[in-house]
mmCIF file of all heavy atoms in Angstrom:
data_model
loop_
_atom_site.group_PDB
_atom_site.id
_atom_site.type_symbol
_atom_site.label_atom_id
_atom_site.label_comp_id
_atom_site.label_asym_id
_atom_site.label_seq_id
_atom_site.Cartn_x
_atom_site.Cartn_y
_atom_site.Cartn_z
ATOM 1 N N MET A 276 0.844 -1.225 0.000
ATOM 2 C CA MET A 276 0.000 0.000 0.000
ATOM 3 C C MET A 276 0.864 1.254 0.000
ATOM 4 O O MET A 276 1.500 1.589 0.984
ATOM 5 C CB MET A 276 -0.901 0.001 1.251
ATOM 6 C CG MET A 276 -2.352 -0.375 0.943
ATOM 7 S SD MET A 276 -3.193 0.814 -0.113
ATOM 8 C CE MET A 276 -3.884 1.918 1.111
ATOM 9 N N ASP A 277 0.841 1.940 -1.093
ATOM 10 C CA ASP A 277 1.644 3.141 -1.204
ATOM 11 C C ASP A 277 0.795 4.391 -1.219
ATOM 12 O O ASP A 277 1.298 5.479 -1.389
ATOM 13 C CB ASP A 277 2.503 3.078 -2.472
ATOM 14 C CG ASP A 277 3.972 2.956 -2.123
ATOM 15 O OD1 ASP A 277 4.277 2.771 -0.939
ATOM 16 O OD2 ASP A 277 4.798 3.056 -3.031
ATOM 17 N N GLU A 278 -0.501 4.219 -1.046
ATOM 18 C CA GLU A 278 -1.355 5.391 -1.073
ATOM 19 C C GLU A 278 -1.613 5.872 0.352
ATOM 20 O O GLU A 278 -2.018 5.118 1.228
ATOM 21 C CB GLU A 278 -2.671 5.083 -1.772
ATOM 22 C CG GLU A 278 -3.157 6.290 -2.545
ATOM 23 C CD GLU A 278 -4.001 5.885 -3.729
ATOM 24 O OE1 GLU A 278 -5.167 5.620 -3.523
ATOM 25 O OE2 GLU A 278 -3.461 5.845 -4.844
ATOM 26 N N LEU A 279 -1.327 7.158 0.545
ATOM 27 C CA LEU A 279 -1.395 7.720 1.883
ATOM 28 C C LEU A 279 -2.097 9.052 1.835
ATOM 29 O O LEU A 279 -2.273 9.631 0.780
ATOM 30 C CB LEU A 279 0.035 7.908 2.409
ATOM 31 C CG LEU A 279 0.887 6.644 2.451
ATOM 32 C CD1 LEU A 279 2.356 6.989 2.364
ATOM 33 C CD2 LEU A 279 0.618 5.850 3.699
ATOM 34 N N THR A 280 -2.473 9.538 2.992
ATOM 35 C CA THR A 280 -3.099 10.858 3.024
ATOM 36 C C THR A 280 -2.210 11.850 3.757
ATOM 37 O O THR A 280 -1.650 11.553 4.802
ATOM 38 C CB THR A 280 -4.467 10.814 3.733
ATOM 39 O OG1 THR A 280 -4.325 10.148 4.971
ATOM 40 C CG2 THR A 280 -5.501 10.116 2.887
ATOM 41 N N CYS A 281 -2.125 13.033 3.193
ATOM 42 C CA CYS A 281 -1.351 14.107 3.791
ATOM 43 C C CYS A 281 -1.968 14.497 5.134
ATOM 44 O O CYS A 281 -3.185 14.649 5.251
ATOM 45 C CB CYS A 281 -1.350 15.303 2.843
ATOM 46 S SG CYS A 281 -0.655 16.784 3.584
ATOM 47 N N ILE A 282 -1.132 14.663 6.126
ATOM 48 C CA ILE A 282 -1.623 14.957 7.469
ATOM 49 C C ILE A 282 -2.157 16.383 7.576
ATOM 50 O O ILE A 282 -2.989 16.681 8.427
ATOM 51 C CB ILE A 282 -0.504 14.694 8.501
ATOM 52 C CG1 ILE A 282 -1.093 14.566 9.919
ATOM 53 C CG2 ILE A 282 0.579 15.759 8.440
ATOM 54 C CD1 ILE A 282 -0.118 13.989 10.916
ATOM 55 N N SER A 283 -1.719 17.253 6.694
ATOM 56 C CA SER A 283 -2.149 18.653 6.754
ATOM 57 C C SER A 283 -3.430 18.916 5.960
ATOM 58 O O SER A 283 -4.324 19.607 6.433
ATOM 59 C CB SER A 283 -1.051 19.579 6.239
ATOM 60 O OG SER A 283 0.120 19.419 6.997
ATOM 61 N N CYS A 284 -3.517 18.386 4.748
ATOM 62 C CA CYS A 284 -4.655 18.717 3.896
ATOM 63 C C CYS A 284 -5.556 17.524 3.595
ATOM 64 O O CYS A 284 -6.640 17.691 3.064
ATOM 65 C CB CYS A 284 -4.177 19.360 2.593
ATOM 66 S SG CYS A 284 -3.296 18.242 1.507
ATOM 67 N N GLY A 285 -5.091 16.325 3.936
ATOM 68 C CA GLY A 285 -5.929 15.153 3.750
ATOM 69 C C GLY A 285 -5.958 14.612 2.332
ATOM 70 O O GLY A 285 -6.698 13.688 2.039
ATOM 71 N N ALA A 286 -5.138 15.176 1.446
ATOM 72 C CA ALA A 286 -5.109 14.727 0.068
ATOM 73 C C ALA A 286 -4.444 13.363 -0.046
ATOM 74 O O ALA A 286 -3.528 13.046 0.707
ATOM 75 C CB ALA A 286 -4.356 15.737 -0.781
ATOM 76 N N TYR A 287 -4.942 12.571 -0.978
ATOM 77 C CA TYR A 287 -4.291 11.302 -1.252
ATOM 78 C C TYR A 287 -3.020 11.555 -2.037
ATOM 79 O O TYR A 287 -3.037 12.240 -3.053
ATOM 80 C CB TYR A 287 -5.206 10.379 -2.059
ATOM 81 C CG TYR A 287 -6.250 9.730 -1.210
ATOM 82 C CD1 TYR A 287 -7.536 10.238 -1.139
ATOM 83 C CD2 TYR A 287 -5.924 8.597 -0.463
ATOM 84 C CE1 TYR A 287 -8.502 9.642 -0.337
ATOM 85 C CE2 TYR A 287 -6.880 8.003 0.341
ATOM 86 C CZ TYR A 287 -8.171 8.519 0.402
ATOM 87 O OH TYR A 287 -9.107 7.929 1.191
ATOM 88 N N ILE A 288 -1.921 11.005 -1.562
ATOM 89 C CA ILE A 288 -0.655 11.214 -2.248
ATOM 90 C C ILE A 288 0.116 9.915 -2.323
ATOM 91 O O ILE A 288 -0.182 8.956 -1.609
ATOM 92 C CB ILE A 288 0.234 12.254 -1.533
ATOM 93 C CG1 ILE A 288 0.504 11.831 -0.084
ATOM 94 C CG2 ILE A 288 -0.389 13.632 -1.596
ATOM 95 C CD1 ILE A 288 1.657 12.560 0.543
ATOM 96 N N LYS A 289 1.109 9.927 -3.165
ATOM 97 C CA LYS A 289 2.058 8.821 -3.194
ATOM 98 C C LYS A 289 3.402 9.356 -2.754
ATOM 99 O O LYS A 289 3.777 10.475 -3.108
ATOM 100 C CB LYS A 289 2.147 8.232 -4.597
ATOM 101 C CG LYS A 289 0.939 7.377 -4.875
ATOM 102 C CD LYS A 289 1.079 6.659 -6.184
ATOM 103 C CE LYS A 289 -0.137 5.749 -6.385
ATOM 104 N NZ LYS A 289 -0.142 5.151 -7.717
ATOM 105 N N VAL A 290 4.118 8.547 -2.008
ATOM 106 C CA VAL A 290 5.418 8.977 -1.517
ATOM 107 C C VAL A 290 6.390 9.081 -2.674
ATOM 108 O O VAL A 290 6.391 8.252 -3.580
ATOM 109 C CB VAL A 290 5.944 8.005 -0.447
ATOM 110 C CG1 VAL A 290 7.392 8.328 -0.096
ATOM 111 C CG2 VAL A 290 5.082 8.113 0.812
ATOM 112 N N GLY A 291 7.194 10.126 -2.661
ATOM 113 C CA GLY A 291 8.132 10.388 -3.743
ATOM 114 C C GLY A 291 7.742 11.668 -4.443
ATOM 115 O O GLY A 291 6.631 12.166 -4.270
ATOM 116 N N GLY A 292 8.671 12.234 -5.186
ATOM 117 C CA GLY A 292 8.399 13.447 -5.934
ATOM 118 C C GLY A 292 8.027 14.626 -5.060
ATOM 119 O O GLY A 292 7.106 15.366 -5.370
ATOM 120 N N GLY A 293 8.678 14.745 -3.925
ATOM 121 C CA GLY A 293 8.421 15.893 -3.067
ATOM 122 C C GLY A 293 7.494 15.577 -1.902
ATOM 123 O O GLY A 293 7.436 16.306 -0.933
ATOM 124 N N ASN A 294 6.765 14.485 -2.023
ATOM 125 C CA ASN A 294 5.937 14.063 -0.906
ATOM 126 C C ASN A 294 6.798 13.273 0.074
ATOM 127 O O ASN A 294 7.664 12.512 -0.335
ATOM 128 C CB ASN A 294 4.789 13.184 -1.384
ATOM 129 C CG ASN A 294 3.923 13.904 -2.387
ATOM 130 O OD1 ASN A 294 3.711 15.092 -2.287
ATOM 131 N ND2 ASN A 294 3.427 13.170 -3.358
ATOM 132 N N VAL A 295 6.569 13.464 1.343
ATOM 133 C CA VAL A 295 7.431 12.796 2.303
ATOM 134 C C VAL A 295 6.647 12.023 3.357
ATOM 135 O O VAL A 295 5.503 12.340 3.683
ATOM 136 C CB VAL A 295 8.352 13.789 3.035
ATOM 137 C CG1 VAL A 295 9.388 14.344 2.093
ATOM 138 C CG2 VAL A 295 7.579 14.903 3.695
ATOM 139 N N LYS A 296 7.337 11.045 3.896
ATOM 140 C CA LYS A 296 6.789 10.191 4.932
ATOM 141 C C LYS A 296 7.885 10.036 5.968
ATOM 142 O O LYS A 296 9.015 9.696 5.627
ATOM 143 C CB LYS A 296 6.462 8.844 4.288
ATOM 144 C CG LYS A 296 5.773 7.871 5.191
ATOM 145 C CD LYS A 296 5.342 6.675 4.377
ATOM 146 C CE LYS A 296 6.234 5.484 4.677
ATOM 147 N NZ LYS A 296 5.765 4.247 4.035
ATOM 148 N N PHE A 297 7.589 10.332 7.194
ATOM 149 C CA PHE A 297 8.625 10.211 8.221
ATOM 150 C C PHE A 297 7.978 9.927 9.566
ATOM 151 O O PHE A 297 6.803 10.226 9.776
ATOM 152 C CB PHE A 297 9.455 11.500 8.289
ATOM 153 C CG PHE A 297 8.637 12.741 8.553
ATOM 154 C CD1 PHE A 297 8.462 13.206 9.846
ATOM 155 C CD2 PHE A 297 8.045 13.424 7.510
ATOM 156 C CE1 PHE A 297 7.706 14.347 10.095
ATOM 157 C CE2 PHE A 297 7.276 14.561 7.748
ATOM 158 C CZ PHE A 297 7.118 15.020 9.030
ATOM 159 N N PRO A 298 8.733 9.357 10.486
ATOM 160 C CA PRO A 298 8.192 9.057 11.802
ATOM 161 C C PRO A 298 8.125 10.312 12.663
ATOM 162 O O PRO A 298 9.030 11.145 12.636
ATOM 163 C CB PRO A 298 9.166 8.036 12.377
ATOM 164 C CG PRO A 298 10.439 8.240 11.647
ATOM 165 C CD PRO A 298 10.096 8.832 10.302
ATOM 166 N N CYS A 299 7.079 10.435 13.420
ATOM 167 C CA CYS A 299 6.928 11.543 14.353
ATOM 168 C C CYS A 299 8.062 11.504 15.371
ATOM 169 O O CYS A 299 8.388 10.451 15.893
ATOM 170 C CB CYS A 299 5.576 11.403 15.064
ATOM 171 S SG CYS A 299 5.376 12.538 16.452
ATOM 172 N N PRO A 300 8.685 12.653 15.646
ATOM 173 C CA PRO A 300 9.793 12.695 16.606
ATOM 174 C C PRO A 300 9.343 12.349 18.020
ATOM 175 O O PRO A 300 10.160 11.960 18.848
ATOM 176 C CB PRO A 300 10.284 14.142 16.560
ATOM 177 C CG PRO A 300 9.569 14.808 15.438
ATOM 178 C CD PRO A 300 8.419 13.959 15.032
ATOM 179 N N GLU A 301 8.067 12.500 18.271
ATOM 180 C CA GLU A 301 7.555 12.245 19.613
ATOM 181 C C GLU A 301 7.106 10.799 19.807
ATOM 182 O O GLU A 301 7.443 10.168 20.785
ATOM 183 C CB GLU A 301 6.367 13.168 19.902
ATOM 184 C CG GLU A 301 6.754 14.592 20.230
ATOM 185 C CD GLU A 301 7.410 14.725 21.605
ATOM 186 O OE1 GLU A 301 6.915 14.119 22.560
ATOM 187 O OE2 GLU A 301 8.414 15.437 21.703
ATOM 188 N N CYS A 302 6.304 10.324 18.873
ATOM 189 C CA CYS A 302 5.663 9.021 19.108
ATOM 190 C C CYS A 302 5.983 7.982 18.044
ATOM 191 O O CYS A 302 5.532 6.849 18.145
ATOM 192 C CB CYS A 302 4.154 9.191 19.222
ATOM 193 S SG CYS A 302 3.357 9.604 17.665
ATOM 194 N N ASP A 303 6.753 8.370 17.028
ATOM 195 C CA ASP A 303 7.174 7.416 15.999
ATOM 196 C C ASP A 303 6.067 6.942 15.069
ATOM 197 O O ASP A 303 6.287 6.041 14.280
ATOM 198 C CB ASP A 303 7.842 6.185 16.628
ATOM 199 C CG ASP A 303 9.350 6.365 16.730
ATOM 200 O OD1 ASP A 303 9.859 7.399 16.248
ATOM 201 O OD2 ASP A 303 10.007 5.472 17.289
ATOM 202 N N SER A 304 4.901 7.533 15.167
ATOM 203 C CA SER A 304 3.884 7.155 14.192
ATOM 204 C C SER A 304 4.183 7.878 12.881
ATOM 205 O O SER A 304 4.823 8.928 12.867
ATOM 206 C CB SER A 304 2.478 7.464 14.709
ATOM 207 O OG SER A 304 2.250 8.847 14.717
ATOM 208 N N ILE A 305 3.733 7.300 11.800
ATOM 209 C CA ILE A 305 4.119 7.815 10.485
ATOM 210 C C ILE A 305 3.355 9.079 10.117
ATOM 211 O O ILE A 305 2.135 9.133 10.202
ATOM 212 C CB ILE A 305 3.900 6.721 9.409
ATOM 213 C CG1 ILE A 305 4.821 5.529 9.684
ATOM 214 C CG2 ILE A 305 4.157 7.280 8.009
ATOM 215 C CD1 ILE A 305 6.313 5.850 9.708
ATOM 216 N N ILE A 306 4.106 10.073 9.720
ATOM 217 C CA ILE A 306 3.533 11.335 9.281
ATOM 218 C C ILE A 306 3.773 11.473 7.785
ATOM 219 O O ILE A 306 4.872 11.232 7.303
ATOM 220 C CB ILE A 306 4.190 12.510 10.048
ATOM 221 C CG1 ILE A 306 3.741 12.482 11.515
ATOM 222 C CG2 ILE A 306 3.826 13.852 9.405
ATOM 223 C CD1 ILE A 306 4.520 13.421 12.399
ATOM 224 N N VAL A 307 2.737 11.866 7.079
ATOM 225 C CA VAL A 307 2.827 12.014 5.630
ATOM 226 C C VAL A 307 2.488 13.443 5.253
ATOM 227 O O VAL A 307 1.504 14.008 5.728
ATOM 228 C CB VAL A 307 1.835 11.058 4.927
ATOM 229 C CG1 VAL A 307 1.895 11.234 3.422
ATOM 230 C CG2 VAL A 307 2.133 9.616 5.310
ATOM 231 N N ARG A 308 3.328 14.025 4.437
ATOM 232 C CA ARG A 308 3.058 15.385 3.984
ATOM 233 C C ARG A 308 3.221 15.482 2.486
ATOM 234 O O ARG A 308 4.165 14.935 1.923
ATOM 235 C CB ARG A 308 4.005 16.376 4.663
ATOM 236 C CG ARG A 308 3.826 16.423 6.160
ATOM 237 C CD ARG A 308 4.702 17.480 6.750
ATOM 238 N NE ARG A 308 4.139 18.813 6.531
ATOM 239 C CZ ARG A 308 4.861 19.912 6.439
ATOM 240 N NH1 ARG A 308 6.162 19.841 6.506
ATOM 241 N NH2 ARG A 308 4.282 21.064 6.282
ATOM 242 N N CYS A 309 2.328 16.230 1.873
ATOM 243 C CA CYS A 309 2.407 16.368 0.425
ATOM 244 C C CYS A 309 3.317 17.538 0.051
ATOM 245 O O CYS A 309 3.609 18.408 0.869
ATOM 246 C CB CYS A 309 1.012 16.534 -0.182
ATOM 247 S SG CYS A 309 0.267 18.132 0.131
ATOM 248 N N GLN A 310 3.713 17.524 -1.175
ATOM 249 C CA GLN A 310 4.595 18.523 -1.753
ATOM 250 C C GLN A 310 4.056 19.933 -1.542
ATOM 251 O O GLN A 310 4.778 20.848 -1.194
ATOM 252 C CB GLN A 310 4.648 18.218 -3.250
ATOM 253 C CG GLN A 310 5.742 18.867 -4.010
ATOM 254 C CD GLN A 310 5.688 18.406 -5.452
ATOM 255 O OE1 GLN A 310 4.680 17.877 -5.909
ATOM 256 N NE2 GLN A 310 6.754 18.589 -6.184
ATOM 257 N N ARG A 311 2.759 20.073 -1.770
ATOM 258 C CA ARG A 311 2.142 21.385 -1.681
ATOM 259 C C ARG A 311 2.192 21.944 -0.268
ATOM 260 O O ARG A 311 2.525 23.103 -0.056
ATOM 261 C CB ARG A 311 0.695 21.298 -2.160
ATOM 262 C CG ARG A 311 0.463 22.202 -3.331
ATOM 263 C CD ARG A 311 -0.940 22.129 -3.831
ATOM 264 N NE ARG A 311 -1.934 22.258 -2.765
ATOM 265 C CZ ARG A 311 -3.238 22.235 -2.987
ATOM 266 N NH1 ARG A 311 -3.679 22.084 -4.201
ATOM 267 N NH2 ARG A 311 -4.085 22.360 -2.007
ATOM 268 N N CYS A 312 1.861 21.107 0.703
ATOM 269 C CA CYS A 312 1.860 21.575 2.089
ATOM 270 C C CYS A 312 3.277 21.887 2.556
ATOM 271 O O CYS A 312 3.486 22.792 3.357
ATOM 272 C CB CYS A 312 1.211 20.533 2.994
ATOM 273 S SG CYS A 312 -0.558 20.446 2.742
ATOM 274 N N ARG A 313 4.247 21.188 2.039
ATOM 275 C CA ARG A 313 5.631 21.493 2.380
ATOM 276 C C ARG A 313 6.029 22.843 1.802
ATOM 277 O O ARG A 313 6.689 23.644 2.446
ATOM 278 C CB ARG A 313 6.560 20.401 1.855
ATOM 279 C CG ARG A 313 6.469 19.133 2.680
ATOM 280 C CD ARG A 313 7.400 18.078 2.134
ATOM 281 N NE ARG A 313 8.801 18.489 2.224
ATOM 282 C CZ ARG A 313 9.745 18.150 1.368
ATOM 283 N NH1 ARG A 313 9.440 17.377 0.353
ATOM 284 N NH2 ARG A 313 10.963 18.551 1.530
ATOM 285 N N LYS A 314 5.632 23.072 0.593
ATOM 286 C CA LYS A 314 5.943 24.329 -0.074
ATOM 287 C C LYS A 314 5.310 25.499 0.652
ATOM 288 O O LYS A 314 5.898 26.546 0.835
ATOM 289 C CB LYS A 314 5.428 24.269 -1.519
ATOM 290 C CG LYS A 314 6.459 24.716 -2.535
ATOM 291 C CD LYS A 314 5.847 24.680 -3.916
ATOM 292 C CE LYS A 314 6.861 24.184 -4.948
ATOM 293 N NZ LYS A 314 6.217 23.873 -6.228
ATOM 294 N N LEU A 315 4.078 25.298 1.054
ATOM 295 C CA LEU A 315 3.339 26.352 1.747
ATOM 296 C C LEU A 315 3.764 26.475 3.201
ATOM 297 O O LEU A 315 3.363 27.393 3.898
ATOM 298 C CB LEU A 315 1.839 26.059 1.680
ATOM 299 C CG LEU A 315 1.216 26.086 0.279
ATOM 300 C CD1 LEU A 315 -0.208 25.573 0.334
ATOM 301 C CD2 LEU A 315 1.245 27.488 -0.300
ATOM 302 N N GLY A 316 4.561 25.526 3.656
ATOM 303 C CA GLY A 316 5.030 25.555 5.029
ATOM 304 C C GLY A 316 3.917 25.366 6.046
ATOM 305 O O GLY A 316 3.939 25.926 7.132
ATOM 306 N N ARG A 317 2.937 24.568 5.646
ATOM 307 C CA ARG A 317 1.826 24.303 6.550
ATOM 308 C C ARG A 317 2.280 23.504 7.757
ATOM 309 O O ARG A 317 3.128 22.623 7.650
ATOM 310 C CB ARG A 317 0.752 23.498 5.823
ATOM 311 C CG ARG A 317 -0.091 24.335 4.950
ATOM 312 C CD ARG A 317 -1.353 23.574 4.634
ATOM 313 N NE ARG A 317 -2.183 24.351 3.726
ATOM 314 C CZ ARG A 317 -3.125 23.812 2.961
ATOM 315 N NH1 ARG A 317 -3.324 22.515 2.994
ATOM 316 N NH2 ARG A 317 -3.838 24.569 2.195
ATOM 317 N N LYS A 318 1.653 23.794 8.865
ATOM 318 C CA LYS A 318 1.964 23.033 10.071
ATOM 319 C C LYS A 318 1.247 21.703 10.037
ATOM 320 O O LYS A 318 0.211 21.549 9.409
ATOM 321 C CB LYS A 318 1.512 23.812 11.298
ATOM 322 C CG LYS A 318 2.483 24.906 11.674
ATOM 323 C CD LYS A 318 2.205 25.374 13.092
ATOM 324 C CE LYS A 318 3.320 26.306 13.559
ATOM 325 N NZ LYS A 318 3.149 26.698 14.941
ATOM 326 N N TYR A 319 1.811 20.757 10.737
ATOM 327 C CA TYR A 319 1.135 19.476 10.874
ATOM 328 C C TYR A 319 0.994 19.168 12.357
ATOM 329 O O TYR A 319 1.772 19.612 13.175
ATOM 330 C CB TYR A 319 1.917 18.363 10.174
ATOM 331 C CG TYR A 319 3.296 18.115 10.729
ATOM 332 C CD1 TYR A 319 3.486 17.256 11.816
ATOM 333 C CD2 TYR A 319 4.400 18.726 10.167
ATOM 334 C CE1 TYR A 319 4.740 17.027 12.328
ATOM 335 C CE2 TYR A 319 5.665 18.512 10.678
ATOM 336 C CZ TYR A 319 5.834 17.656 11.755
ATOM 337 O OH TYR A 319 7.081 17.434 12.264
ATOM 338 N N THR A 320 -0.029 18.445 12.668
ATOM 339 C CA THR A 320 -0.211 18.005 14.032
ATOM 340 C C THR A 320 -0.408 16.510 14.043
ATOM 341 O O THR A 320 -1.287 15.976 13.383
ATOM 342 C CB THR A 320 -1.434 18.700 14.673
ATOM 343 O OG1 THR A 320 -1.281 20.107 14.536
ATOM 344 C CG2 THR A 320 -1.522 18.355 16.152
ATOM 345 N N CYS A 321 0.438 15.859 14.794
ATOM 346 C CA CYS A 321 0.370 14.414 14.913
ATOM 347 C C CYS A 321 -0.763 14.038 15.859
ATOM 348 O O CYS A 321 -1.253 14.841 16.631
ATOM 349 C CB CYS A 321 1.704 13.912 15.440
ATOM 350 S SG CYS A 321 1.743 12.141 15.739
ATOM 351 N N GLN A 322 -1.138 12.778 15.798
ATOM 352 C CA GLN A 322 -2.195 12.287 16.686
ATOM 353 C C GLN A 322 -1.788 12.388 18.157
ATOM 354 O O GLN A 322 -2.633 12.454 19.043
ATOM 355 C CB GLN A 322 -2.543 10.845 16.334
ATOM 356 C CG GLN A 322 -1.331 9.924 16.378
ATOM 357 C CD GLN A 322 -1.599 8.572 15.722
ATOM 358 O OE1 GLN A 322 -2.665 8.365 15.150
ATOM 359 N NE2 GLN A 322 -0.642 7.664 15.816
ATOM 360 N N CYS A 323 -0.482 12.454 18.422
ATOM 361 C CA CYS A 323 -0.008 12.545 19.802
ATOM 362 C C CYS A 323 -0.020 13.994 20.304
ATOM 363 O O CYS A 323 0.226 14.258 21.467
ATOM 364 C CB CYS A 323 1.401 11.972 19.923
ATOM 365 S SG CYS A 323 2.674 13.002 19.180
ATOM 366 N N GLY A 324 -0.276 14.940 19.382
ATOM 367 C CA GLY A 324 -0.330 16.328 19.781
ATOM 368 C C GLY A 324 0.889 17.116 19.357
ATOM 369 O O GLY A 324 0.907 18.336 19.420
ATOM 370 N N PHE A 325 1.912 16.416 18.882
ATOM 371 C CA PHE A 325 3.118 17.097 18.421
ATOM 372 C C PHE A 325 2.819 17.841 17.135
ATOM 373 O O PHE A 325 2.184 17.321 16.241
ATOM 374 C CB PHE A 325 4.221 16.071 18.177
ATOM 375 C CG PHE A 325 5.496 16.676 17.652
ATOM 376 C CD1 PHE A 325 6.429 17.210 18.511
ATOM 377 C CD2 PHE A 325 5.751 16.711 16.283
ATOM 378 C CE1 PHE A 325 7.608 17.774 18.029
ATOM 379 C CE2 PHE A 325 6.923 17.273 15.782
ATOM 380 C CZ PHE A 325 7.844 17.796 16.669
ATOM 381 N N SER A 326 3.280 19.099 17.056
ATOM 382 C CA SER A 326 3.114 19.801 15.796
ATOM 383 C C SER A 326 4.437 20.404 15.365
ATOM 384 O O SER A 326 5.276 20.773 16.194
ATOM 385 C CB SER A 326 2.027 20.873 15.913
ATOM 386 O OG SER A 326 2.481 21.941 16.680
ATOM 387 N N GLY A 327 4.624 20.467 14.078
ATOM 388 C CA GLY A 327 5.874 20.965 13.538
ATOM 389 C C GLY A 327 5.652 21.739 12.269
ATOM 390 O O GLY A 327 4.554 21.739 11.726
ATOM 391 N N PRO A 328 6.671 22.370 11.770
ATOM 392 C CA PRO A 328 6.566 23.184 10.573
ATOM 393 C C PRO A 328 6.551 22.337 9.292
ATOM 394 O O PRO A 328 7.021 21.228 9.316
ATOM 395 C CB PRO A 328 7.819 24.037 10.614
ATOM 396 C CG PRO A 328 8.800 23.252 11.421
ATOM 397 C CD PRO A 328 8.006 22.364 12.349
HETATM 398 ZN ZN1 ZN B 1409 -1.051 18.345 1.992
HETATM 399 ZN ZN1 ZN B 1410 3.301 11.825 17.303
#
């Protein structure tokens, strides 16, 4: 399964081409961000409450 949803905007994305997937620094759950939200510098909030740029 390579289809994921961006944590900031909820869009379906595929990892690669500017889209990223990384573990939360706090709880290690997977965070997915799309290219657009990264460009716009949108904040994300993890399910554990951690938020980052
Ligand atoms: Zn997004
Ligand atoms: Zn977390």
Side-chain angles (χ1 to χ4, degrees):
M276 256 295 270
D277 248 8
E278 215 152 82
L279 302 154
T280 50
C281 171
I282 198 166
S283 301
C284 68
Y287 282 98
I288 57 163
K289 284 187 177 173
V290 171
N294 301 324
V295 291
K296 185 172 106 173
F297 57 94
C299 170
E301 283 289 316
C302 70
D303 268 356
S304 72
I305 296 301
I306 290 169
V307 178
R308 297 184 77 208
C309 73
Q310 195 177 17
R311 240 179 49 179
C312 288
R313 286 180 63 212
K314 228 182 218 168
L315 295 171
R317 281 198 182 159
K318 281 196 171 184
Y319 62 86
T320 306
C321 176
Q322 56 193 5
C323 72
F325 178 85
S326 72

